[in-house]
Amino acid sequence: MENGIRGYHPYVVFFYYICTGFLVMYFKHPLFLATALIILICVNISHDRGKSLRKWMIPLMVMSLFFMVLNPFLVSRGTNILFYFRGKQVTLEATMYGVVMAIALVSVIVMFVSFNILLNGNKFLYIFSKVLPRTAFLLMLAIRFVPLLKSRFDEIRAVQRVRGTTMTVGTLRQRARNGMYMIQVLLTWSLEEAIQTADSMKARGYGIGKKTSYIPYRMEKRDWGWLATLLVLFSVCIWGGMLGYGKIVIYPELGTLHLYVLDWILFVCMTIILAFPLIVEGRERLRWKY
Amino acid sequence: MVNARTYLIVSSIVVLVLLASSILFFQHNAYLLVSFVIIACTMIPFFARFEIRKITGREVVILAILAAIAAVSRVPFAGFPSVQPTSFVIIVTGLVFGAESGFMVGAIAAIVSNFFLGQGPWTPWQMYGWGMMGMMAGLLRNTWWMKKMWGKLIFGFIWGYLFGWFMNAWIVVSNIENMTWEFFISIFVGSIYFDLAHGLSNVFFILIFSTSWIKIMNRFKKKYGLLVSS
Amino acid sequence: MEILAVDNISFQYPDMDEYVLDHFSMHVSEGDFVVVCGPSGCGKTTLLRLLKHELAPVGKQSGTITYAGKNVLDYDERTLIEDIGFVFQDPENQIVMDEVMQEIVFGMENLGYSNFEMRKRVAEMVHFFGMEDLLDKKPSELSGGQKQMLNLLSVLLLKPKVLLLDEPTSQLDPVAAKDLIVMLERLNKEMGMTIIIVEHRLEELFAIADQVVMMEKGAITYKGTSREVIESVYTNDDKQFIPYIPSVARLYLSEEKKPIQTGIPLTVKESKAWLASLDSKPKETHEQPIESILEHTKPLLSVKKAYFQYDRYAPLILKNLSLDIHPGEFFALVGGNGSGKTTLLKLCIGMIKAQRGSAKFAGKDIHKLKGKELYERMAYLPQNPQTYFVQDTIEKEMRSVMEQNDIQDGEQEMTNMLALFGIRHLRHRHPYDCSGGELQRAALACMLLAQPDILFVDEPTKGLDPIAKENFANVLKDLHEKGLTIVMVTHDIEFAAKHVERCAMLFDGEVTVDGTPDHLFKGNYFYTTAINRATRLSNRQEVLTLEEAFDQW
């Protein structure tokens, strides 16, 4: 059994991501989004000290800069004009929209990075195997083949290098052609080998009847507890959002950023939902210390 | 065959109508979310059909290996951002194994490659884009012009653009409140180079490799009597 | 009690004229350990597949197969899947799932076992196999031997009564192969499981087998207990099957003055006992000096103080490794799994670059070589020769090589090459329709058109039957005599000991010893040939190969 958030049932974790993804795209208030982003980054750091997130740093920076800088210059909607640039108006609204959009997008991607860590291959499939068993199985097989194909490709590359077929010298055309030649070898070879995989499946009874599942996960009391908590908080957020809280009006004129009481309530609910992995990990750490 | 074609036409129309009408209906509210739901709903019939269709273990394995090859083929080409071998593999699969297999391989290849390159809000769009590419290749494979090399080349070139536009669509959709013509155009202008490269690399691969790939897959199909009906 | 009976089975594949199995009969009692062998294409795999009903090939079939007193056609699918387990040749291809635990339960899930039953069986069998540590791993992280154990375990969880294995050790290194066979012996002895194994590597199996079946062209040539079969093959002097017989047994039959069937030694222990009974002969303790002729020539390939690791935090695979290959040498590199053999080979063909130190071919850095410098001077025969073929017939492949190398009178050259390797009949064949041995020779024929200076060979004996192995050895010897430099990586010690001039043993990323096979292997406990293990410290001169024994005794 794994520790911390990884020890929770995949359904619960999956539901956490649904809520998170939904809320991040749902609320538009800068405070909400900025908080969400900070929490999600912390969540990532709690998984692996931010190792996987670091690889995304540069694309994320570029993407957010793209929205923040480009949006005001490209879009001239809005009422409050900040200044003119080459005869076009740069508005407060467009700037604000750029910021909101950038944070929302970055948050979603940061969430997916964490998703990739927590719900890796098998857990992901476990979730879907109930609904789409054969598709899930197909996907799993394909994922299982990837490392195998990569190592086969390395072998092919070595052999073909000695034959003078490489992707490192020549014009773009030649290199692309050589690359595809090698993939062609990979195709011919792998198709042939795949028959054995199919035979081995058949030999162990694939497709003869109803499958059961060796369930490595069990919904325990704490799983149900958290599921209920998330569900309640999530409903509150949706309900509040439908009344217009947690959002701001941007176009045609930027509305107020002021937070009302209900906004604060939603804010707390959202924070608790998003911080679910942090709470779990934090509690576990405290238990180890004391 | 008829089934698949109906699916395609219906689902494409449904997507368009729903996407368009939901702009009005939801009044720009959480439009990205809505679009996800719509895309998911359109793909469900294909997956559902795959679930209930009679299919042997061998066929499942072959689809899996093709999807994995489509995804892995990006690895050696990582240094050439403008070359897109995945699309080529998917198109050929559609041509040889038919529309449904083409769709499955395209959609699965998108998920698989994103397992290694990173899942994101774009995954469903990619699944749909590549899935449709494989499916269209399968649907059109028996038309007279698709049997000619030039037909395939045009198909590959056009799909380079269609796929690119479809991927732009998710940016558009996620920015719908903000959308102005300038913004819209700038996105599409910005992607022209990439789409052109995608289209041209499809043309290049189809021109040089489609004959031998189709031969390899057909030989294999015949040798093991696979996926003949679809 | 008889558990499996094959009666008068004939089988023909759809588009072939000949019968793969021709009125074949065989009876197996419960708890038997049956070994089936024969040259490739003799029908042994077809036989095994016919026994596993779900895998039965499509074709024309007559005769009956009876399992536990009832025709297999009368059984329901489920019972047969459970009762008859099948382990395939390639360890990697059989694995379906992405996680070891998922793979283990795959069969049980398919058959719809209850969760309780699954947990019970898993707990018991995983413990029996001692595989607890591997459960959370990905199959791609396991070694070949571990993968094959996983496959065996996964099949055993269905509690089969009969276990069929199709060359299960052919892709494994000797240590892993031995482990697998020991496990099979345990299953047979401790659980009474009936085992039918098709295999080429027989040294250890003869000692375990209750019944040995030797097949040729779809029919049985020899059948009986190990000793009966060995004796009759030997007395008939059957060239087809002599190579299958363990070398100590052959030694016994030729050296013993009055050989009796029950005296044929099957294990090292029995061999030692027999050798002790022989009169002792004076031993010559001639220390051959290491041939120093080669040392004077300039090396063709030279690796100097090379260090290599796959990434900064990974362990060093090659450490301070130096190696010289001289023109005209036949050199073999031996070593266990993970000793760095493959990495060294990659370094030699320039796939990787040493972090420190150098690897030079004819004075140039290998990883910088490209185009002509590579394909005109080097050839590399990989473990899987399929990877070499791009075209769809062997002839087209040869033509593309000729085009690349501007060979003029190509037609003639091509015919010569095909004849030299004895593969004229394969000219228009698709590479994937050839057997392993044929494919190897075809790849060599293509490569040698370019007349390279050096040939790298990686694990050439994997999956070959003894005859194909002999043939391949002869091919290499011919090429060597014609002046080709050959560098071979192998864990087949018998093969290296018999054929090469110079050997080096790699351990932990370093060349630990370097010398003639004699120097390298004689006196080792494990890392040596079976016959050497038997003759060490015996009354006779210690020998490495059977030929040497015939020579010296």
Side-chain angles (χ1 to χ4, degrees):
Chain A
M1 210 62 203
E2 287 164 299
N3 286 328
I5 184 72
R6 290 179 171 86
Y8 278 79
H9 196 279
Y11 285 167
V12 181
V13 181
F14 188 60
F15 187 65
Y16 162 75
Y17 285 111
I18 292 183
C19 298
T20 308
F22 197 91
L23 293 181
V24 168
M25 291 189 258
Y26 195 58
F27 290 134
K28 286 277 154 22
H29 196 287
L31 177 69
F32 278 62
L33 288 173
T35 314
L37 179 58
I38 291 167
I39 294 177
L40 286 171
I41 290 176
C42 292
V43 166
N44 255 298
I45 291 172
S46 80
H47 296 333
D48 61 351
R49 302 192 176 169
K51 222 171 103 192
S52 342
L53 190 61
R54 231 168 284 156
K55 283 182 228 155
W56 282 90
M57 284 302 252
I58 291 163
L60 284 179
M61 296 271 202
V62 172
M63 213 184 303
S64 42
L65 264 174
F66 175 82
F67 275 104
M68 283 196 220
V69 179
L70 237 58
N71 200 57
F73 288 99
L74 275 172
V75 179
S76 2
R77 283 177 72 182
T79 324
N80 294 311
I81 296 160
L82 292 177
F83 57 89
Y84 284 90
F85 179 78
R86 290 192 178 177
K88 268 176 67 179
Q89 49 193 9
V90 175
T91 66
L92 177 66
E93 282 78 14
T95 315
M96 194 49 148
Y97 187 88
V99 172
V100 167
M101 205 55 222
I103 304 179
L105 205 66
V106 170
S107 305
V108 172
I109 292 168
V110 171
M111 180 198 95
F112 267 107
V113 174
S114 146
F115 179 94
N116 273 346
I117 300 170
L118 285 196
L119 290 182
N120 52 8
N122 279 304
K123 288 186 184 166
F124 181 80
L125 289 165
Y126 174 76
I127 293 163
F128 282 98
S129 59
K130 286 277 146 56
V131 205
L132 296 168
R134 197 185 270 166
T135 311
F137 181 67
L138 171 62
L139 180 60
M140 204 242 35
L141 260 181
I143 292 171
R144 176 256 176 286
F145 281 138
V146 168
L148 179 63
L149 292 181
K150 278 189 181 159
S151 72
R152 279 190 193 148
F153 189 80
D154 279 342
E155 225 177 306
I156 295 171
R157 220 158 45 107
V159 178
Q160 297 293 333
R161 183 193 132 86
V162 178
R163 280 193 77 178
T165 312
T166 74
M167 288 180 76
T168 49
V169 284
T171 61
L172 180 65
R173 275 178 63 109
Q174 281 170 344
R175 285 187 288 171
R177 201 184 51 203
N178 287 347
M180 196 45 102
Y181 260 126
M182 290 191 253
I183 294 174
Q184 183 178 318
V185 176
L186 181 68
L187 173 83
T188 327
W189 185 21
S190 299
L191 282 178
E192 209 73 36
E193 304 278 312
I195 286 295
Q196 291 179 35
T197 311
D199 281 347
S200 127
M201 277 162 51
K202 208 172 169 195
R204 283 179 288 158
Y206 177 78
I208 75 154
K210 210 168 148 31
K211 246 182 118 153
T212 50
S213 170
Y214 179 85
I215 310 164
Y217 315 106
R218 249 177 278 188
M219 281 294 269
E220 282 168 33
K221 221 160 135 197
R222 53 174 204 168
D223 292 306
W224 287 114
W226 265 106
L227 196 63
T229 315
L230 288 176
L231 196 65
V232 170
L233 294 174
F234 187 57
S235 317
V236 173
C237 286
I238 299 287
W239 170 72
M242 293 216 304
L243 294 177
Y245 292 95
K247 301 180 174 182
I248 51 168
V249 176
I250 294 183
Y251 295 122
E253 189 179 358
L254 188 63
T256 177
L257 291 179
H258 182 76
L259 294 169
Y260 298 94
V261 181
L262 208 59
D263 282 316
W264 283 113
I265 294 175
L266 292 190
F267 181 73
V268 172
C269 290
M270 183 201 76
T271 311
I272 297 175
I273 295 180
L274 262 62
F276 160 54
L278 290 180
I279 298 170
V280 170
E281 297 280 349
R283 231 180 24 194
E284 198 143 296
R285 200 155 294 177
L286 280 181
R287 206 171 294 158
W288 276 107
K289 272 207 176 132
Y290 304 106
Chain B
M1 225 24 222
V2 177
N3 247 336
R5 186 164 290 160
T6 334
Y7 270 129
L8 176 74
I9 295 164
V10 170
S11 68
S12 315
I13 295 171
V14 166
V15 165
L16 277 177
V17 171
L18 287 184
L19 278 176
S21 63
S22 55
I23 299 178
L24 301 169
F25 188 74
F26 285 88
Q27 294 177 330
H28 310 331
N29 221 334
Y31 192 65
L32 183 59
L33 277 175
V34 178
S35 70
F36 278 151
V37 176
I38 295 170
I39 282 224
C41 291
T42 5
M43 285 195 287
I44 280 174
F46 297 113
F47 288 119
R49 209 181 130 62
F50 178 69
E51 291 290 333
I52 51 176
R53 182 179 143 199
K54 246 189 126 48
I55 187 166
T56 65
R58 276 192 178 179
E59 290 162 337
V60 177
V61 175
I62 296 310
L63 292 182
I65 204 109
L66 288 169
I69 288 178
V72 168
S73 66
R74 280 165 93 165
V75 176
F77 288 98
F80 315 72
S82 50
V83 181
Q84 188 52 277
T86 308
S87 300
F88 167 71
V89 180
I90 292 166
I91 291 174
V92 177
T93 307
L95 286 175
V96 177
F97 292 104
E100 288 172 23
S101 305
F103 177 83
M104 286 312 291
V105 169
I108 296 292
I111 309 184
V112 174
S113 70
N114 286 345
F115 257 113
F116 302 94
L117 300 174
Q119 304 285 3
W122 49 79
T123 307
W125 299 84
Q126 264 181 356
M127 285 170 69
Y128 192 76
W130 268 327
M132 281 299 137
M133 191 186 287
M135 157 152 270
M136 284 303 279
L139 281 180
L140 300 173
R141 65 179 165 157
N142 290 324
T143 55
W144 63 272
W145 53 274
M146 201 59 168
K147 289 186 175 154
K148 301 262 189 296
M149 180 56 92
W150 58 263
K152 287 182 206 126
L153 293 178
I154 292 173
F155 178 89
F157 189 73
I158 291 177
W159 262 100
Y161 274 93
L162 283 182
F163 185 80
W165 289 347
F166 202 77
M167 292 311 289
N168 290 342
W170 93 261
I171 302 179
V172 172
V173 163
S174 54
N175 281 284
I176 199 84
E177 304 167 55
N178 189 32
M179 203 38 71
T180 59
W181 280 111
E182 290 143 307
F183 190 78
F184 188 77
I185 290 166
S186 68
I187 290 171
F188 280 80
V189 168
S191 76
I192 273 190
Y193 167 74
F194 292 101
D195 299 338
L196 180 68
H198 188 176
L200 287 179
S201 72
N202 280 352
V203 167
F204 175 76
F205 286 135
I206 291 175
L207 186 66
I208 301 183
F209 289 99
S210 65
T211 319
S212 59
W213 278 58
I214 290 173
K215 203 167 155 192
I216 289 169
M217 288 191 195
N218 270 327
R219 170 182 171 275
F220 185 75
K221 204 167 111 177
K222 203 181 136 224
K223 188 168 170 188
Y224 295 101
L226 296 169
L227 293 165
V228 186
S229 56
S230 72
Chain C
M1 198 190 95
E2 194 173 86
I3 190 160
L4 258 181
V6 180
D7 283 301
N8 226 6
I9 278 274
S10 294
F11 187 85
Q12 189 182 24
Y13 282 102
D15 28 339
M16 291 223 248
D17 306 326
E18 279 172 47
Y19 281 90
V20 188
L21 290 174
D22 195 1
H23 299 284
F24 184 93
S25 299
M26 184 170 108
H27 294 255
V28 179
S29 305
E30 202 170 343
D32 262 5
F33 195 113
V34 182
V35 176
V36 180
C37 63
S40 54
C42 72
K44 54 192 190 310
T45 300
T46 310
L47 171 72
L48 215 56
R49 283 180 168 256
L50 286 173
L51 294 178
K52 174 80 182 161
H53 192 59
E54 307 81 60
L55 300 180
V58 185
K60 223 169 75 186
Q61 184 188 338
S62 63
T64 55
I65 297 172
T66 322
Y67 166 67
K70 209 162 102 180
N71 192 324
V72 284
L73 300 173
D74 300 335
Y75 276 93
D76 65 318
E77 220 179 341
R78 201 192 152 85
T79 318
L80 286 183
I81 288 174
E82 282 179 336
D83 282 6
I84 302 180
F86 197 105
V87 176
F88 297 78
Q89 183 175 7
D90 190 291
E92 178 80 73
N93 285 337
Q94 301 171 61
I95 297 173
V96 177
M97 304 299 271
D98 193 32
E99 216 171 65
V100 171
M101 190 64 198
Q102 297 289 319
E103 179 67 23
I104 290 175
V105 297
F106 179 75
M108 294 194 290
E109 283 186 345
N110 285 329
L111 293 171
Y113 286 15
S114 71
N115 214 30
F116 173 80
E117 184 65 28
M118 286 197 231
R119 284 178 187 275
K120 204 176 89 176
R121 290 193 184 186
V122 167
E124 180 193 39
M125 284 310 274
V126 167
H127 186 67
F128 182 76
F129 271 67
M131 276 177 71
E132 289 93 340
D133 296 342
L134 305 178
L135 290 181
D136 288 330
K137 291 214 169 158
K138 299 235 171 240
S140 53
E141 296 162 358
L142 306 184
S143 72
Q146 288 172 327
K147 280 180 195 152
Q148 200 63 305
M149 280 293 188
L150 169 64
N151 291 322
L152 181 61
L153 169 61
S154 161
V155 166
L156 286 177
L157 281 176
L158 297 179
K159 298 204 171 152
K161 310 232 164 37
V162 181
L163 189 60
L164 308 173
L165 302 104
D166 186 11
E167 298 183 34
T169 69
S170 70
Q171 304 295 313
L172 307 183
D173 65 272
V175 184
K178 180 97 195 167
D179 287 348
L180 190 81
I181 288 170
V182 168
M183 181 53 88
L184 292 179
E185 192 181 0
R186 274 186 75 186
L187 289 171
N188 179 248
K189 295 229 164 94
E190 291 173 24
M191 300 191 179
M193 194 171 292
T194 312
I195 294 179
I196 303 180
I197 179 172
V198 164
E199 192 53 276
H200 294 313
R201 217 188 303 205
L202 298 176
E203 296 261 353
E204 289 115 0
L205 285 175
F206 268 119
I208 312 171
D210 297 307
Q211 199 188 136
V212 176
V213 174
M214 289 187 166
M215 291 177 67
E216 206 182 350
K217 292 190 182 124
I220 292 179
T221 323
Y222 300 97
K223 190 165 98 175
T225 65
S226 308
R227 291 197 171 89
E228 284 165 11
V229 168
I230 289 173
E231 196 188 27
S232 43
V233 169
Y234 191 83
T235 43
N236 285 355
D237 196 23
D238 190 333
K239 290 277 178 294
Q240 279 294 330
F241 288 104
I242 287 259
Y244 283 92
I245 294 180
S247 37
V248 273
R250 275 164 76 185
L251 193 62
Y252 170 84
L253 289 168
S254 68
E255 292 297 313
E256 179 66 40
K257 287 182 193 78
K258 279 178 273 167
I260 46 167
Q261 200 192 78
T262 48
I264 298 176
L266 297 176
T267 62
V268 169
K269 192 174 154 189
E270 286 168 5
S271 319
K272 281 202 175 269
W274 164 63
L275 284 166
S277 72
L278 289 184
D279 51 326
S280 50
K281 276 192 184 170
K283 296 186 206 176
E284 306 162 47
T285 45
H286 56 272
E287 272 290 320
Q288 304 154 292
I290 302 178
E291 281 182 67
S292 50
I293 327 148
L294 291 167
E295 311 285 310
H296 298 307
T297 57
K298 220 171 146 234
L300 184 61
L301 180 99
S302 153
V303 178
K304 285 220 165 64
K305 293 187 188 303
Y307 285 81
F308 184 80
Q309 58 198 140
Y310 279 96
D311 76 76
R312 202 147 59 93
Y313 303 102
L316 277 170
I317 313 276
L318 302 179
K319 295 173 194 161
N320 196 17
L321 189 140
S322 299
L323 181 72
D324 281 339
I325 307 289
H326 298 270
E329 250 190 311
F330 189 174
F331 174 81
L333 198 63
V334 295
N337 263 355
S339 58
K341 284 182 311 204
T342 316
T343 309
L344 179 55
L345 192 71
K346 278 189 186 166
L347 185 71
C348 290
I349 59 172
M351 272 300 282
I352 54 172
K353 181 180 174 296
Q355 268 109 18
R356 263 189 290 160
S358 68
K360 290 193 157 102
F361 176 72
K364 278 187 183 170
D365 275 328
I366 302 175
H367 70 98
K368 285 187 189 147
L369 296 179
K370 54 191 167 200
K372 276 193 171 197
E373 294 167 309
L374 267 176
Y375 64 74
E376 281 188 350
R377 307 201 57 184
M378 279 192 190
Y380 166 41
L381 181 67
Q383 282 184 40
N384 299 298
Q386 296 97 313
T387 51
Y388 181 85
F389 293 92
V390 178
Q391 310 291 336
D392 56 8
T393 68
I394 286 160
E395 180 176 349
K396 280 192 202 161
E397 198 70 59
M398 295 184 100
R399 284 189 197 283
S400 85
V401 174
M402 290 188 307
E403 208 172 295
Q404 190 183 32
N405 289 286
D406 289 319
I407 295 171
Q408 294 309 319
D409 47 346
E411 218 41 56
Q412 187 56 42
E413 193 65 19
M414 193 159 80
T415 321
N416 289 347
M417 223 22 122
L418 287 168
L420 180 69
F421 289 99
I423 48 169
R424 235 174 296 175
H425 58 292
L426 302 177
R427 190 169 182 153
H428 301 291
R429 188 85 69 86
H430 194 287
Y432 288 80
D433 295 335
C434 299
S435 74
E438 290 172 336
L439 204 58
Q440 254 180 359
R441 277 176 284 152
L444 268 184
C446 294
M447 288 168 193
L448 294 173
L449 278 174
Q451 298 185 319
D453 302 330
I454 191 163
L455 171 67
F456 296 96
V457 189
D458 192 6
E459 299 291 359
T461 57
K462 235 183 192 179
L464 293 188
D465 63 67
I467 309 280
K469 226 177 191 176
E470 291 278 294
N471 287 342
F472 185 76
N474 291 335
V475 166
L476 283 189
K477 266 190 181 156
D478 272 358
L479 294 172
H480 174 229
E481 270 158 29
K482 284 181 189 150
L484 185 67
T485 314
I486 301 174
V487 177
M488 179 168 77
V489 167
T490 186
H491 43 224
D492 190 333
I493 295 160
E494 316 267 339
F495 190 79
K498 208 161 156 189
H499 303 291
V500 305
E501 289 179 334
R502 187 162 75 101
C503 270
M505 184 143 60
L506 211 58
F507 176 74
D508 198 23
E510 282 178 274
V511 173
T512 39
V513 222
D514 178 351
T516 60
D518 266 19
H519 279 92
L520 209 56
F521 298 126
K522 276 191 185 164
N524 289 359
Y525 265 113
F526 184 76
Y527 230 79
T528 184
T529 59
I531 197 166
N532 183 250
R533 257 176 277 164
T535 55
R536 210 161 57 89
L537 307 175
S538 70
N539 290 341
R540 298 289 180 97
Q541 172 85 26
E542 174 183 15
V543 294
L544 209 49
T545 62
L546 190 62
E547 287 73 13
E548 193 184 348
F550 291 151
D551 241 29
Q552 308 228 344
W553 289 11

